[in-house]
Amino acid sequence: MPNTSTRPKRGRRNRRVPREDPARNELVSRSLESAQQCLFNQDYGTAFVHYLLVLNLAPVLKDFASESFRFTLFKWADELDSLGRIQDLFDCYEQALELFPTDEVIINSMGEHLFRMGFRDEAAGHFHKALKLKPDYPEAKENFYRVANWLVERWHFLMLNDRRRNHKYQQAIQKAVEGGCNTVLDIGTGTGILGMCAKKAGAAEVYACELSKTMYELACEVVTANGMNGLIKILHMKSLEMEVPKDIPKRVSLVVTETVDAGLFGEGIIESLIHAWNHLLLPPQSTQDPSRPPSQAGRVIPAGATVFGMAVQCLEIRRHHRLCVSEIGGLATAAAGELHSPVSCSSEDDSTEPYTTERLSRLPGGYTPLTEPFNALDIDFNNVQELEGLCSREVSRVRLPVTGEGLLDALAVWFQLHLDQQSSLSTGPKEDTCWEQAIYPVQTPHSRIIYIRHVQCLAKVFGPLELGDLLPHFSLNAEAELCSALACLGTEQSSGPRDYTMLECAEMALLNNQPYHDSFRRALAKLITNLKDARSVQGPSQGQGLEVMPLTDPPSGPMDPGPDPFYVLDVSEGFSVLSLMAASQGQVKAYSSVEKTQHQAVLRRLARANGVPEEALEFWLNQVEDEQAVLQRPSREKLWSAIILDCVETCGLVRQKLMEKATLARCLLEDGGQIFPERIVLYGMLVESDTLLLESAVQGQEPTLGFNIAPFINQFTVPVHVFLDLSTLQCRHLTVALTIKRNVPFSGPCLSKIICKNPNNFTDLHL
């Protein structure tokens, strides 16, 4: 029988309840109170430190204090950003994420800071993480779509959807591998498709390199999904940094690449191929030793290229790159000086781009060729001496008969890529291709002879195209002299440095939009007239609205004696003449938000030339300490007569955050004052477009060249396309244009007509 004398088992002890620590509780209470007081006093840095102490000592307060903590973090981060204390900013976010590791709002906000500072890969990771935590979080979703455009450019989809291009590359690679090139390096691998073609063709060893972190990770996923993990070695680095045997064990017999842009040389293919021939490729096949097997000789796909050019007239190109009008909203523009876009090959300014890109066949209004296409350059990628001598080759000229009469607006450039001796791809304007054409715009209409100078460095493979004193129009019998050493073309005069002001292409196009400015002029004139009439009835001391606490001291500066002026604030982004148009109405004190010194100088020159008193135009951001608080009263006793909100981008997007400030703006208006635009009406239309589909995602159910790529790259599909022009988009209209949102009016009744920044984006601004 059991031993009845056995001692009973000791039961489990009850867990001790932690004892209260009065000193800790007192510290938490006082720190929380101090945090709230600092927050009230807008001392965000000290408030943030107090909140950190509170939440580390008392994690149970996280739910209670999370909203205030977020607000404090974001305000303090903005201050640190404005002070340039970037490391401190990210330290604060790291501390915040230690407390709230799954807070999608904080993660998304850190991603926004990373994106603004150029860390796009890291930003994308934060936006993606925020979406995983909360898939319906709209801010993170919008941010991820925006950064996806940077990380995976839309041309990746176009190229993968270009079956003809894919098939020709695959054929050329297969022929080379079957011919004996059994070790392959894919430079700029992207999704890994060319490297996989080489492996599928039977290459013994395949290596690939990719600089973009996002594309490198994507390529690794694609290669693994296609059963080639371990068979293709992918390196996250530039090919220029690769060494033998550090990164690859030996020199390869074949380099495949498509590191070319619309202008052929913009992605550095010449520099990367020179490095490859000197460090990564076997020596080329020698005519002195033709018996050497292909596996012991080096070659490149593509084998070479031919560059073509053509002079064109095109109003759409012209209006985006130089000032085309002599009058803007009643203001004469002659005194503005030379204004043009930042697309130029000027050696004086490294901030400019040598060319832009357009699909000529889709430009609104089309284009007119002024010359026949001409052969500008032939280049052999398998000849390293030719590559190295490209920038020092002698200038040669070709004479071209002008075939059409018109104004020279640009040189359009495209190329034929020779994959091997039998196969080639053309990027010409009449080809059905995924490529656009390179556009070298003429920044001034004065030209007579076209020259091309030599290039000074390989980064800009050729010299700038110089337009001397060219006559504004070609005649049918004239000849244009063009140098055949083409690339990084510019449009600089040969008479030395010029004094000019650069505007963004969208700013230049808007400046050339006369209906837009004429509508604003009429609306402003009607408002000022109405306010003058109202003031003459009420008396000069009335009509200023209710008194509120002042946010700034009155601006200093001389004022003309006489009636109180009407105060107009233009908070448009970038360069805007709307404030100057208001000042030209008389009895108006206008404030511009133009920030750049050069742009302010242009407005001052225009003001003097158009008889606007100097004191009638001031620059608002020179007077407010915090750019975030731009919507303030003009002075202690005054209110605004008009506030201009630039709430629609030229690409067609509505600036939602700016529209949210409309409520605050209304509180700063005098009686009868107006916000422009008064309201916004959005229109929509259903369309069917294969072109949009091809630019949005890899299409079809079949694998690309037999490889499973679409599910991986289609993660970066974006639902919104901007800068679309329905007049040239290949599409079928399924409905008429319908009103989809009629915005609540910003202020009083409509004063003028309806205008539209971009008619084909269906956004009406009611003034």
Side-chain angles (χ1 to χ4, degrees):
M1 67 183 291
N3 186 355
T4 56
S5 65
T6 303
R7 295 176 61 186
K9 292 181 179 180
R10 182 176 296 177
R12 179 176 291 179
R13 269 184 167 186
N14 292 330
R15 184 174 293 174
R16 285 177 108 187
V17 178
R19 296 176 58 186
E20 290 287 333
D21 186 340
R24 175 188 287 248
N25 291 344
E26 178 68 16
L27 179 59
V28 168
S29 177
R30 289 190 176 184
S31 292
L32 184 59
E33 184 179 337
S34 296
Q36 293 167 342
Q37 184 62 42
C38 290
L39 195 58
F40 179 78
N41 295 331
Q42 299 183 1
D43 182 2
Y44 302 116
T46 309
F48 180 73
V49 172
H50 281 297
Y51 274 123
L52 284 180
L53 179 62
V54 168
L55 297 177
N56 275 293
L57 291 176
V60 293
L61 296 177
K62 284 184 180 179
D63 290 341
F64 167 76
S66 61
E67 288 294 329
S68 297
F69 178 76
R70 280 181 191 163
F71 179 81
T72 305
L73 169 66
F74 299 157
K75 285 292 187 180
W76 180 226
D78 287 340
E79 280 192 28
L80 292 172
D81 191 4
S82 66
L83 295 170
R85 296 169 56 184
I86 306 305
Q87 188 57 55
D88 290 339
L89 183 153
F90 288 121
D91 287 345
C92 289
Y93 271 100
E94 294 295 343
Q95 291 171 314
L97 288 173
E98 287 178 8
L99 291 169
F100 297 94
T102 59
D103 189 307
E104 72 279 358
V105 180
I106 294 177
I107 293 169
N108 177 70
S109 178
M110 184 173 180
E112 290 176 336
H113 281 285
L114 287 165
F115 182 72
R116 281 198 297 270
M117 293 172 192
F119 300 105
R120 294 167 188 163
D121 288 301
E122 293 79 0
H126 282 73
F127 298 146
H128 193 249
K129 184 177 180 180
L131 281 175
K132 280 188 173 180
L133 292 167
K134 189 176 180 181
D136 59 345
Y137 183 24
E139 286 84 357
K141 190 176 294 185
E142 181 180 342
N143 284 332
F144 183 75
Y145 289 150
R146 186 189 306 137
V147 79
N149 274 312
W150 291 96
L151 296 176
V152 179
E153 307 233 23
R154 302 302 95 189
W155 50 258
H156 279 289
F157 298 113
L158 285 169
M159 293 175 76
L160 289 169
N161 284 318
D162 191 338
R163 295 186 178 184
R164 181 169 168 270
R165 166 254 179 196
N166 297 338
H167 185 62
K168 285 199 171 188
Y169 253 102
Q170 184 182 42
Q171 281 185 320
I173 292 171
Q174 182 173 344
K175 191 186 301 182
V177 172
E178 290 176 350
C181 297
N182 56 13
T183 55
V184 182
L185 170 62
D186 179 5
I187 294 179
T189 191
T191 58
I193 186 170
L194 299 185
M196 291 191 295
C197 284
K199 194 64 191 176
K200 186 177 181 180
E205 300 172 39
V206 179
Y207 308 95
C209 62
E210 175 58 51
L211 179 61
S212 163
K213 181 182 177 184
T214 300
M215 294 308 299
Y216 162 75
E217 293 173 349
L218 181 64
C220 291
E221 290 183 61
V222 169
V223 166
T224 300
N226 285 277
M228 296 185 184
N229 187 29
L231 302 178
I232 299 177
K233 181 181 179 181
I234 306 178
L235 303 167
H236 179 211
M237 63 192 310
K238 293 174 68 173
S239 67
L240 298 175
E241 299 169 352
M242 292 178 63
E243 299 176 10
V244 174
K246 177 183 174 184
D247 301 301
I248 57 176
K250 59 184 179 181
R251 288 178 177 250
V252 298
S253 54
L254 176 65
V255 161
V256 297
T257 187
E258 201 174 13
T259 51
V260 293
D261 67 346
L264 185 62
F265 303 102
E267 291 189 17
I269 188 171
I270 301 299
E271 189 178 7
S272 62
L273 287 183
I274 290 174
H275 176 270
W277 278 114
N278 290 331
H279 301 282
L280 307 173
L281 264 167
L282 290 167
Q285 187 75 49
S286 173
T287 55
Q288 299 175 355
D289 186 14
S291 62
R292 187 167 42 158
S295 61
Q296 297 177 19
R299 60 176 290 195
V300 174
I301 296 178
T306 301
V307 182
F308 299 91
M310 179 174 65
V312 299
Q313 172 180 275
C314 178
L315 177 60
E316 185 69 9
I317 292 174
R318 186 189 313 157
R319 74 183 190 91
H320 278 84
H321 297 284
R322 67 176 189 259
L323 189 61
C324 308
V325 296
S326 59
E327 180 266 338
I328 304 171
L331 301 170
T333 62
E338 186 177 340
L339 306 178
H340 65 67
S341 74
V343 183
S344 169
C345 255
S346 170
S347 57
E348 306 159 17
D349 192 343
D350 292 335
S351 66
T352 60
E353 291 292 332
Y355 53 83
T356 184
T357 64
E358 298 283 359
R359 195 179 297 274
L360 288 176
S361 61
R362 282 173 54 177
L363 282 172
Y367 68 96
T368 302
L370 301 180
T371 68
E372 290 289 346
F374 61 92
N375 184 327
L377 175 69
D378 287 295
I379 183 69
D380 182 359
F381 293 150
N382 284 303
N383 187 328
V384 66
Q385 289 77 25
E386 185 174 330
L387 294 173
E388 291 174 334
L390 191 61
C391 64
S392 59
R393 63 192 298 168
E394 291 186 6
V395 174
S396 60
R397 290 182 177 179
V398 292
R399 292 185 177 272
L400 302 172
V402 174
T403 58
E405 187 171 348
L407 184 66
L408 176 62
D409 290 316
L411 193 68
V413 173
W414 63 93
F415 58 88
Q416 191 170 25
L417 206 59
H418 309 298
L419 302 182
D420 54 27
Q421 292 181 345
Q422 289 78 37
S423 185
S424 63
L425 295 169
S426 174
T427 67
K430 295 182 180 179
E431 300 289 338
D432 182 16
T433 174
C434 62
W435 292 92
E436 294 182 331
Q437 291 76 51
I439 303 297
Y440 298 89
V442 174
Q443 305 289 17
T444 171
H446 312 296
S447 20
R448 181 170 301 187
I449 296 177
I450 302 178
Y451 311 67
I452 299 179
R453 268 204 322 250
H454 282 311
V455 54
Q456 299 169 0
C457 63
L458 274 181
K460 291 188 173 182
V461 181
F462 300 108
L465 167 72
E466 297 232 339
L467 297 172
D469 298 325
L470 218 91
L471 289 174
H473 288 77
F474 280 123
S475 65
L476 288 174
N477 297 321
E479 288 184 339
E481 292 185 338
L482 293 152
C483 170
S484 63
L486 192 59
C488 269
L489 304 173
T491 54
E492 300 300 304
Q493 296 186 30
S494 57
S495 56
R498 304 196 317 267
D499 184 17
Y500 60 88
T501 302
M502 283 195 303
L503 300 179
E504 295 299 324
C505 294
E507 294 173 335
M508 186 64 72
L510 188 59
L511 199 60
N512 283 316
N513 189 333
Q514 286 182 305
Y516 173 80
H517 291 96
D518 287 343
S519 297
F520 263 105
R521 180 182 62 171
R522 289 192 291 271
L524 285 166
K526 189 168 186 178
L527 172 66
I528 299 303
T529 299
N530 289 345
L531 290 175
K532 285 179 180 178
D533 292 344
R535 229 180 243 192
S536 65
V537 173
Q538 298 174 356
S541 62
Q542 300 180 35
Q544 287 294 317
L546 297 175
E547 279 296 318
V548 295
M549 291 299 293
L551 295 176
T552 63
D553 292 329
S556 58
M559 287 291 296
D560 287 337
D564 285 343
F566 298 99
Y567 292 90
V568 175
L569 174 63
D570 176 15
V571 293
S572 300
E573 291 195 11
F575 185 79
S576 169
V577 297
L578 298 180
S579 57
L580 183 55
M581 287 166 46
S584 68
Q585 298 293 323
Q587 201 181 328
V588 170
K589 178 86 170 180
Y591 291 84
S592 169
S593 294
V594 167
E595 196 170 1
K596 294 182 180 179
T597 305
Q598 265 195 319
H599 294 175
Q600 292 181 1
V602 172
L603 289 181
R604 288 193 179 99
R605 288 199 299 269
L606 287 173
R608 287 194 297 270
N610 286 275
V612 177
E614 183 177 344
E615 61 272 15
L617 177 67
E618 294 199 23
F619 297 98
W620 186 236
L621 293 180
N622 294 349
Q623 301 190 28
V624 295
E625 294 182 1
D626 183 3
E627 191 175 337
Q628 303 294 324
V630 67
L631 288 177
Q632 301 181 15
R633 301 181 69 173
S635 68
R636 188 180 300 274
E637 296 86 10
K638 305 297 181 182
L639 291 168
W640 298 108
S641 303
I643 298 176
I644 301 169
L645 298 176
D646 188 21
C647 46
V648 180
E649 296 183 41
T650 52
C651 67
L653 292 177
V654 175
R655 292 188 174 102
Q656 188 62 38
K657 290 184 178 180
L658 189 59
M659 289 182 62
E660 291 169 359
K661 295 181 179 179
T663 303
L664 171 61
R666 277 200 298 270
C667 301
L668 302 173
L669 289 173
E670 67 168 288
D671 292 341
Q674 176 77 23
I675 294 178
F676 294 109
E678 183 257 347
R679 59 193 171 95
I680 299 175
V681 179
L682 301 180
Y683 297 92
M685 176 190 291
L686 296 179
V687 300
E688 180 182 47
S689 173
D690 290 336
T691 301
L692 275 181
L693 291 176
L694 294 174
E695 292 177 355
S696 302
V698 177
Q699 301 298 312
Q701 301 297 319
E702 295 182 7
T704 307
L705 296 181
F707 302 118
N708 188 22
I709 297 175
F712 302 95
I713 194 168
N714 283 354
Q715 297 177 74
F716 294 90
T717 298
V718 295
V720 178
H721 289 257
V722 295
F723 288 111
L724 284 180
D725 194 308
L726 288 177
S727 67
T728 58
L729 178 67
Q730 294 177 334
C731 67
R732 185 165 67 92
H733 295 185
L734 302 179
T735 68
V736 297
L738 300 172
T739 303
I740 57 175
K741 186 169 184 179
R742 190 175 297 275
N743 208 64
V744 177
F746 286 166
S747 51
C750 182
L751 290 175
S752 185
K753 60 176 287 185
I754 298 174
I755 68 164
C756 184
K757 272 191 175 181
N758 187 340
N760 295 299
N761 282 331
F762 298 113
T763 307
D764 283 350
L765 308 181
H766 291 242
L767 302 180

